Amino acid sequence: MTKKQSNCDGGSFFGGAAAGARSRVWFGGTYQEHWSDDYRLLVSYSGRSKVDCAFAGRRWQPAGGDTALCERLLREQDEPFLQRYFQAAAQAYFSAQNCLERGLPLSALYECYPCGADPLCAAELLRLCLDDCGMRLEDALPLAWRCCPDYAVTEEELAALVPLQPRTAALARLLRDNEQQIPAVLHDARLADYRRPFGAVRCGEALSLRLRVLSGRVDRAAVLFYGDSMHREEAMRREGDWFSYDASAPDEPAALWYAFRLETAQGERWLCPEGRGTGARLCETPSGAFRLTVFQRDFDTPAWFRKSVMYQAFPDRFAFSDDDTAQRGIEYHRALGQTPELHRDRSEAVRWQPRPFERDYSPDDFYGGTLKGIEAKLPYLQKLGVGCLYLNPIFEARSNHRYDTSDYLKVDPILGSNEDFERLCRTAESYGIRIMLDGVFSHTGADSVYFNRYGHYPSLGACQGESSPYYSWYDFRRFPDEYRCWWGFQDLPEVEETRPDWQDFVVTGHDSVVRQWLRRGAAGWRLDVADELPDEVLALIRRAAKEEKPDAPILGEVWEDAILKEGGAGRRRYALGDALDSVMNYPFRQAMLDFIHKRIDAYALRDFLTEQQLSYPQPMYYALMNLLGSHDVDRIRTAMAAPITLRHLSRPEQLNYPFREEDLACAVAREKLCAALQFAIPGVPSIYYGDEQGMWGTGDPFNRAPFMEDDRELFDYYVNLSARRKANDCLQTGAARFDACHADVLSVLRYVNHSCDVFGTPAQNGAWLLVLNRSDEARRFEADAREAGGGWITGTIDGCSAQWIKIK
């Protein structure tokens, strides 16, 4: 059940209070202060009167307790100040209780405190934190100020407050006068009042950073910027309670950080990120900093890609054709001296153990998927709403995964021919689908035209000596048996990417691999192990691709935060505007698994999503490949049923993992939660083949089984997600805000206002709210949709479910 609720009482919303919510207020009496041996203040009360209260939609009403007080409170017009204190005190008690029920520590009370609260709330909140919860004054004062920035009361209000609650009156004076000059300072990187523009900035773009002094004496403030090659301090300008820094962003792209140094009445203090990284806390010494990404001024990513849904297919296992293409390809490889096997039936299990003549397992068992089969499957992909089909490698190779390239210029004969690929691209275009290829450029196969370790190819490979045109590509330590190879796998010799002849063949030449396959019909490239390619080579690949096809996306396999990633030569430049358009968003997948398995809560998930939004350049953020599965990780349905990462186990342990029945029963519902969020956030949602059919599988090779259509209901669920996204501009390139109203409940607000998306492109106005509940129990939720043209939205969401709410 959901309803839209407008703001109440001049902008306040009662932070989670629904009709019937309970609270209590203590009136009058006396109090005594007691100091412990360790100088802690303890307060005892006597002679107080209690009034129980219930929330009645817009206001708190007495619901029991002291009869005389209840009668006075029911006569609202007779004693307005009594009524005002009652509302403030009831809200303070309820908010603290609500904070703990949401799974938050009391120190995070500001998460669920109503905006625009009465100044009396601050004093009552301070009393509750100090006296009832035992919080230190140094912690309680800034918390009260943060929850209620407008905390000052007049002498007349103080006098009226004394008979109602003398302790609260004393604390109201303490808040107002702050004789100890305890500073309280705010900065929130998410809010325009404190930081503009939102998120990463372009080189030379106007940048504004601000902080607000709520209380205490701050004489001077400065902002400190630092990065891998810079460290500078800039003075801030004072304007009343605000300190401001306004200047242009640096001219060079960089991953930067900033923090604030303050000169206060208590000495030097540092304003640094709190635990979640967007709000701030005062520290006596530097303790972390806020992130600021500066990227190239002209950086952009293909608009079609940002709006698309991606589908990743493992070519040998996805789609099949009723001809002898695969069998002829097997015979071709056998004629080379290789040992491929073709499964007799797609129901056979994948091979994962070595054969009698092998020491180690060799991934050369094939099921016979073909490009013609993929072409026949295009109507299925169109129904799923796919706009970009990413194919794992298709070039000739010894293995079924084909990450050991034998010939970059030739489609593997088991899959078909170069002509089959060109026809696939033409047909896919008629279905509104573009093809992205997988470029494996950091290494080749040992059994290849280029290295030719076993002499299977007639060409002179590097192993045939220095007369080979490819000899200089490789780094031989002791010719021909010892050479640099990828992660020690001798079947994958690494290349010297900085060699001009390699660059000419693969990247820069007129008929280079990168250019040639774009001409044949490919729409873009996914770059395998991008961290193994130097930044300058990534830039060359991107430049060559854009020269050939300006709207070709270049996607990198990066498993970590692409801005913070470091390599042997220092911090990588993946996200700064000249190397990649997008990366595989594995951190998103991990955050979803952590949330579902309760390793993090909804607040932490919200903060993760917000940090990505703040840190990535907007053109890349909206092009991130948001995946739940791939050929390198446990399938999402399997991951939903296992609290550990199964691919880290041995293969026998993976096959024999003892799944719990209750987890198996919940796996599909949990996958739906993950998919809903995947399609709600900015970026390109990517479906790994078969995940939409509930396919099962742990790590490699068990996550690469032949495609099976087993779950029509789940497939229809993905179809609906994709259709909703395609029909609503706001779910593609609209603004986004992430929030949490309980440890189990996350919300995502997407919207377009003023007929313009975040890129300034004409777009249809609209707004959607997604609410997720990971708990098995129903939860109440509230969400602020005012910035999208709605109001406060409240309701109840069923256990382990996702609820979509159309706002406009």
Side-chain angles (χ1 to χ4, degrees):
M1 181 179 70
T2 305
K3 67 177 180 179
K4 298 180 182 179
Q5 179 174 322
S6 62
N7 305 328
C8 52
D9 290 346
S12 295
F13 180 68
F14 280 88
R22 312 295 292 186
S23 185
R24 64 182 52 169
V25 177
W26 295 94
F27 286 90
T30 60
Y31 70 93
Q32 286 186 305
E33 296 181 347
H34 312 274
W35 291 94
S36 67
D37 292 339
D38 59 352
Y39 300 102
R40 287 183 174 272
L41 176 64
L42 305 175
V43 176
S44 63
Y45 292 89
S46 61
R48 293 191 300 174
S49 300
K50 183 185 74 169
V51 173
D52 294 321
C53 41
F55 192 62
R58 294 180 64 84
R59 298 177 67 79
W60 294 97
Q61 296 288 350
D66 187 284
T67 304
L69 275 170
C70 288
E71 290 177 353
R72 290 172 62 189
L73 287 164
L74 288 172
R75 297 192 297 271
E76 294 186 14
Q77 304 304 319
D78 293 349
E79 298 181 77
F81 192 82
L82 170 68
Q83 184 64 229
R84 182 180 160 194
Y85 170 70
F86 173 68
Q87 296 296 326
Q91 182 57 48
Y93 182 89
F94 171 79
S95 295
Q97 184 181 38
N98 188 34
C99 178
L100 299 176
E101 288 176 353
R102 291 182 179 197
L104 287 167
L106 197 60
S107 58
L109 179 59
Y110 56 86
E111 292 274 11
C112 47
Y113 209 78
C115 56
D118 189 305
L120 296 180
C121 285
E124 186 63 21
L125 178 62
L126 182 59
R127 187 199 65 76
L128 186 148
C129 290
L130 290 172
D131 301 352
D132 297 351
C133 302
M135 192 177 285
R136 295 188 319 153
L137 179 64
E138 293 83 353
D139 299 323
L141 267 175
L143 178 62
W145 284 319
R146 183 168 183 178
C147 290
C148 310
D150 299 318
Y151 55 84
V153 294
T154 65
E155 287 295 333
E156 292 77 7
E157 289 170 328
L158 283 173
L161 187 56
V162 170
L164 299 179
Q165 178 50 268
R167 171 67 171 162
T168 300
L171 292 175
R173 186 179 297 277
L174 173 66
L175 275 167
R176 188 190 67 180
D177 298 342
N178 190 13
E179 294 176 356
Q180 298 183 47
Q181 289 295 309
I182 296 175
V185 185
L186 291 185
H187 174 77
D188 193 323
R190 297 170 296 182
L191 303 181
D193 282 345
Y194 298 94
R195 173 168 157 176
R196 291 184 183 180
F198 180 88
V201 297
R202 296 181 183 273
C203 291
E205 186 176 9
L207 172 66
S208 176
L209 300 174
R210 304 176 76 210
L211 57 86
R212 181 184 179 189
V213 181
L214 295 179
S215 186
R217 197 183 85 209
V218 177
D219 297 323
R220 279 175 288 277
V223 58
L224 279 78
F225 295 97
Y226 64 91
D228 296 323
S229 59
M230 73 166 293
H231 189 288
R232 76 168 191 255
E233 179 173 325
E234 301 284 352
M236 302 183 75
R237 183 182 69 259
R238 179 147 204 170
E239 301 169 338
D241 294 337
W242 293 83
F243 282 90
S244 302
Y245 168 79
D246 299 287
S248 297
D251 293 328
E252 291 297 321
L256 300 179
W257 288 261
Y258 69 91
F260 302 98
R261 187 175 63 81
L262 314 177
E263 294 181 21
T264 77
Q266 296 183 328
E268 186 175 81
R269 294 292 185 268
W270 295 80
L271 192 64
C272 303
E274 61 188 1
R276 290 182 288 274
T278 55
R281 62 191 175 96
L282 278 173
C283 306
E284 294 185 0
T285 57
S287 181
F290 301 92
R291 292 175 61 177
L292 177 67
T293 305
V294 181
F295 63 99
Q296 283 196 347
R297 194 173 187 89
D298 61 351
F299 178 51
D300 199 7
T301 54
W304 74 265
F305 185 67
R306 297 192 295 251
K307 291 175 173 285
S308 67
V309 172
M310 177 184 281
Y311 192 88
Q312 179 188 350
F314 198 80
D316 181 61
R317 311 288 163 85
F318 175 53
F320 308 86
S321 53
D322 296 327
D323 58 18
D324 62 350
T325 297
Q327 183 59 52
R328 285 188 284 109
I330 292 290
E331 292 170 359
Y332 168 85
H333 282 281
R334 285 175 178 165
L336 287 175
Q338 297 168 357
T339 58
E341 291 182 352
L342 186 64
H343 285 273
R344 291 171 296 181
D345 190 275
R346 292 198 287 275
S347 64
E348 292 180 354
V350 297
R351 195 178 76 222
W352 60 276
Q353 294 174 304
R355 291 167 286 187
F357 60 87
E358 293 176 324
R359 184 182 68 179
D360 300 309
Y361 154 69
S362 178
D364 60 354
D365 60 318
F366 293 83
Y367 285 88
T370 64
L371 297 182
K372 290 178 182 176
I374 296 174
E375 184 178 353
K377 207 71 177 171
L378 290 173
Y380 172 89
L381 297 177
Q382 184 187 48
K383 185 174 183 180
L384 196 55
V386 173
C388 179
L389 173 59
Y390 154 42
L391 299 177
N392 288 105
I394 66 169
F395 305 135
E396 183 176 320
R398 180 183 183 122
S399 71
N400 55 42
H401 56 68
R402 299 187 175 92
Y403 283 97
D404 52 341
T405 311
S406 295
D407 190 340
Y408 286 114
L409 304 181
K410 183 180 178 184
V411 167
D412 193 297
I414 298 176
L415 292 174
S417 64
N418 291 4
E419 291 71 29
D420 290 340
F421 174 75
E422 292 173 8
R423 185 176 62 252
L424 170 63
C425 292
R426 290 194 299 271
T427 307
E429 187 176 359
S430 71
Y431 283 93
I433 299 171
R434 308 195 198 197
I435 308 294
M436 175 178 284
L437 290 179
D438 205 332
V440 188
F441 299 141
S442 81
H443 55 269
T444 66
D447 196 357
S448 67
V449 170
Y450 315 105
F451 200 73
N452 208 9
R453 179 180 180 184
Y454 309 106
H456 289 158
Y457 289 90
S459 62
L460 287 177
C463 276
Q464 279 71 60
E466 296 185 23
S467 58
S468 167
Y470 312 114
Y471 181 84
S472 63
W473 290 12
Y474 302 94
D475 180 16
F476 286 99
R477 310 293 167 81
R478 181 176 297 174
F479 183 83
D481 297 321
E482 293 183 16
Y483 45 87
R484 186 165 56 90
C485 47
W486 186 77
W487 286 72
F489 292 102
Q490 288 210 314
D491 281 344
L492 301 174
E494 288 197 316
V495 300
E496 297 280 359
E497 300 96 344
T498 57
R499 291 282 307 180
D501 50 345
W502 179 89
Q503 292 182 358
D504 180 74
F505 179 83
V506 174
V507 185
T508 58
H510 180 267
D511 291 319
S512 68
V513 175
V514 169
R515 294 176 184 272
Q516 185 175 146
W517 287 100
L518 290 173
R519 286 190 211 124
R520 289 183 179 274
W525 287 96
R526 179 263 190 186
L527 302 180
D528 183 55
V529 291
D531 54 349
E532 306 286 343
L533 297 170
D535 286 334
E536 56 269 25
V537 172
L538 292 175
L540 286 175
I541 293 173
R542 185 172 184 270
R543 189 178 309 133
K546 302 293 185 182
E547 288 173 356
E548 197 65 43
K549 192 169 284 189
D551 63 352
I554 303 300
L555 167 76
E557 180 193 8
V558 178
W559 286 66
E560 303 87 356
D561 185 313
I563 303 162
L564 301 183
K565 172 78 175 182
E566 295 188 54
R571 198 173 305 281
R572 302 304 303 264
R573 297 175 59 86
Y574 302 136
L576 300 186
D578 61 352
L580 298 172
D581 291 317
S582 175
V583 293
M584 301 178 77
N585 197 356
Y586 279 109
F588 165 71
R589 177 184 185 273
Q590 187 59 53
M592 279 306 305
L593 296 186
D594 289 342
F595 175 64
I596 292 296
H597 292 300
K598 301 191 175 180
R599 294 187 284 265
I600 64 172
D601 61 18
Y603 299 99
L605 179 58
R606 174 206 62 186
D607 295 333
F608 163 80
L609 294 169
T610 302
E611 182 177 52
Q612 285 204 328
Q613 185 183 31
L614 282 167
S615 301
Y616 277 96
Q618 184 171 276
M620 177 175 276
Y621 177 64
Y622 278 80
L624 288 176
M625 178 184 172
N626 294 330
L627 67 142
L628 296 174
S630 80
H631 60 292
D632 283 328
V633 294
D634 306 333
R635 280 193 175 272
I636 186 60
R637 183 171 178 179
T638 309
M640 292 293 95
I644 64 170
T645 303
L646 295 174
R647 66 187 177 89
H648 292 162
L649 303 177
S650 68
R651 286 178 174 133
E653 288 173 325
Q654 292 180 43
L655 286 175
N656 296 294
Y657 182 78
F659 291 97
R660 300 189 310 169
E661 287 299 325
E662 55 267 37
D663 287 329
L664 294 173
C666 294
V668 173
R670 291 170 176 173
E671 178 180 343
K672 288 180 178 180
L673 282 185
C674 295
L677 183 60
Q678 180 190 27
F679 276 77
I681 66 175
V684 180
S686 177
I687 304 168
Y688 182 52
Y689 82 100
D691 281 352
E692 78 282 8
Q693 295 286 349
M695 284 183 63
W696 193 263
T698 54
D700 166 20
F702 308 116
N703 56 3
R704 304 173 183 181
F707 177 77
M708 302 290 286
E709 297 189 45
D710 286 337
D711 192 331
R712 181 55 187 260
E713 191 274 334
L714 184 60
F715 171 74
D716 288 343
Y717 182 81
Y718 275 90
V719 168
N720 290 334
L721 286 176
S722 188
R724 181 184 291 111
R725 186 177 191 274
K726 186 174 183 179
N728 292 274
D729 291 342
C730 64
L731 294 175
Q732 299 172 39
T733 51
R737 197 185 79 180
F738 311 106
D739 214 338
C741 59
H742 188 278
D744 295 325
V745 181
L746 179 86
S747 65
V748 180
L749 179 66
R750 299 295 307 276
Y751 61 94
V752 168
N753 293 332
H754 312 300
S755 302
C756 189
D757 70 9
V758 298
F759 295 97
T761 304
Q764 180 183 17
N765 286 338
W768 280 88
L769 178 75
L770 172 69
V771 184
L772 297 179
N773 177 17
R774 71 175 178 187
S775 170
D776 294 333
E777 301 175 354
R779 295 275 189 242
R780 287 196 67 256
F781 70 84
E782 60 185 27
D784 183 357
R786 288 174 296 176
E787 65 192 83
W792 281 93
I793 297 177
T794 65
T796 301
I797 180 171
D798 293 337
C800 199
S801 68
Q803 184 174 335
W804 292 87
I805 302 166
K806 185 173 178 60
I807 297 173
K808 66 177 182 181

